[in-house]
Amino acid sequence: MFWIRPLVMPLALLVDRIAGDPHSRLHPVALLGSFISLWGRPDRYPVALQRTVGAAMWIATVILFSIPFILAEHFLPWFVILVAGPVLLKSCLAWRSLEEHALSVERALGAGLDDGRLEVKNLVSRDSSGLSREQVLSAAYESVSENLVDSIVSPLCYYTVFGLPGAAVFRAANTMDAMLGYRDERERLGWFSARADDALNYLPARLTAAVLLLYFAARGRFGPARECLQRDGRARPGCNGGLPMAVMAGGTGTRFEKPGVYSIGPGDRTLAEAGADILSAARACTLIVTLLLMVLMFLALLVTLV
């Protein structure tokens, strides 16, 4: 049923744009998060065992979350997969919600700085109590730029290569990193999750940065985008997230800032001015990557038929 795979991808994005992210405890990722919460408490394990437990439970969680996707891919008839596949793949994506979260922060700021600070806490783990208006917007649009990889490009890439199980494995791995991959009391338990997420996002992050460079080149902004990538691509901790953020900041002429940690971009425009351009670039990148991956899947199908 490899020929169905390219068709499922755009249908999944269509489902995402129509339905968004349902706030339900029965959503697959919500159930995944609940399971991670059950075992992801460092105080339940001796310190000496936390790294081993973290690695073992990473494997167990990935397997459990992937089972329905594996069964669907291998046992459902093609006409059912054509309907169920987009829904399952959509559960591993978050395109529309990225925009909605950023816009919700904008609306909250319209009511007052304290409202904006409170709203942005839903997106980022940093202390928002002392953030300025521009720093609140930075946290929101950083989330769009960084999660363009985590929430869209990476799951689509792993779906392209491994089908629905590939997208499921990535979503489980990324969710564990989001919940456990911090340098606090969770560090030992989440070390494997953090390293696995870095490895899985390595190529998709670079693909995202390359596609964004092409997008900004078409808009006459290749020079500033490339310059910012070269200067600030490593300013953010981690080997992946800073790349799309730097291209996005340079291409839109704005600045992303986490006080005391990093500053990325020239800051020629405020984020209030550049926000719409950031969302447009994220949409364009999503569609370009989808088209590129579909073409690659069709070419692979042709090769197998020759």
Side-chain angles (χ1 to χ4, degrees):
M1 294 194 299
F2 184 78
W3 64 272
I4 297 177
R5 197 176 289 177
L7 304 178
V8 167
M9 187 181 294
L11 291 174
L13 292 177
L14 179 61
V15 171
D16 181 274
R17 296 307 294 185
I18 293 172
D21 240 355
H23 298 287
S24 169
R25 293 179 181 178
L26 299 179
H27 188 284
V29 178
L31 294 173
L32 171 65
S34 297
F35 179 67
I36 296 169
S37 296
L38 288 176
W39 64 262
R41 292 175 52 184
D43 57 357
R44 291 187 169 183
Y45 316 102
V47 171
L49 291 179
Q50 286 179 10
R51 290 180 181 272
T52 302
V53 170
M57 291 306 299
W58 186 94
I59 295 170
T61 302
V62 162
I63 292 172
L64 286 173
F65 185 71
S66 303
I67 286 174
F69 296 81
I70 295 170
L71 294 175
E73 179 114 329
H74 288 88
F75 295 106
L76 291 180
W78 69 267
F79 52 88
V80 177
I81 279 288
L82 204 54
V83 176
V87 176
L88 288 170
L89 179 56
K90 182 269 167 291
S91 70
C92 299
L93 302 170
W95 181 19
R96 175 175 153 181
S97 68
L98 284 184
E99 298 181 12
E100 289 177 340
H101 286 317
L103 293 173
S104 70
V105 172
E106 290 252 23
R107 288 192 295 269
L109 277 172
L113 180 56
D114 287 339
D115 291 317
R117 289 168 173 168
L118 184 62
E119 184 66 28
V120 85
K121 288 178 69 176
N122 296 324
L123 295 182
V124 295
S125 59
R126 73 192 63 172
D127 179 13
S128 63
S129 59
L131 297 182
S132 68
R133 181 183 182 87
E134 186 71 2
Q135 289 166 345
V136 168
L137 286 174
S138 179
Y141 285 108
E142 285 172 43
S143 180
V144 172
S145 303
E146 178 186 1
N147 285 303
L148 182 57
V149 179
D150 292 355
S151 297
I152 302 172
V153 176
S154 283
L156 290 180
C157 286
Y158 286 103
Y159 170 77
T160 298
V161 180
F162 301 109
L164 291 171
V169 167
F170 175 79
R171 177 48 53 218
N174 185 248
T175 304
M176 282 185 278
D177 175 64
M179 296 180 67
L180 302 173
Y182 296 92
R183 293 188 179 278
D184 53 21
E185 70 278 1
R186 296 166 288 184
E187 183 173 5
R188 292 182 182 85
L189 194 62
W191 75 276
F192 191 88
S193 298
R195 300 292 81 73
D197 187 73
D198 284 345
L200 289 171
N201 275 318
Y202 189 85
L203 291 178
R206 283 145 184 82
L207 172 62
T208 304
V211 170
L212 285 172
L213 281 172
L214 290 175
Y215 169 78
F216 286 118
R219 297 179 63 84
R221 295 284 300 176
F222 177 77
R226 182 188 61 181
E227 180 182 346
C228 190
L229 175 62
Q230 292 173 336
R231 185 184 66 243
D232 297 336
R234 301 292 183 181
R236 182 189 180 278
C239 61
N240 297 318
L243 303 180
M245 287 170 57
V247 178
M248 190 73 84
T252 58
T254 193
R255 175 182 292 120
F256 296 134
E257 179 184 11
K258 184 175 181 179
V261 181
Y262 57 77
S263 177
I264 296 174
D268 299 328
R269 304 168 69 201
T270 67
L271 281 156
E273 298 169 325
D277 291 338
I278 292 171
L279 295 183
S280 294
R283 290 189 204 114
C285 182
T286 298
L287 296 175
I288 293 168
V289 167
T290 300
L291 180 60
L292 174 63
L293 295 176
M294 287 179 65
V295 168
L296 291 176
M297 283 190 282
F298 279 121
L299 290 175
L301 178 60
L302 289 175
V303 170
T304 60
L305 295 176
V306 173

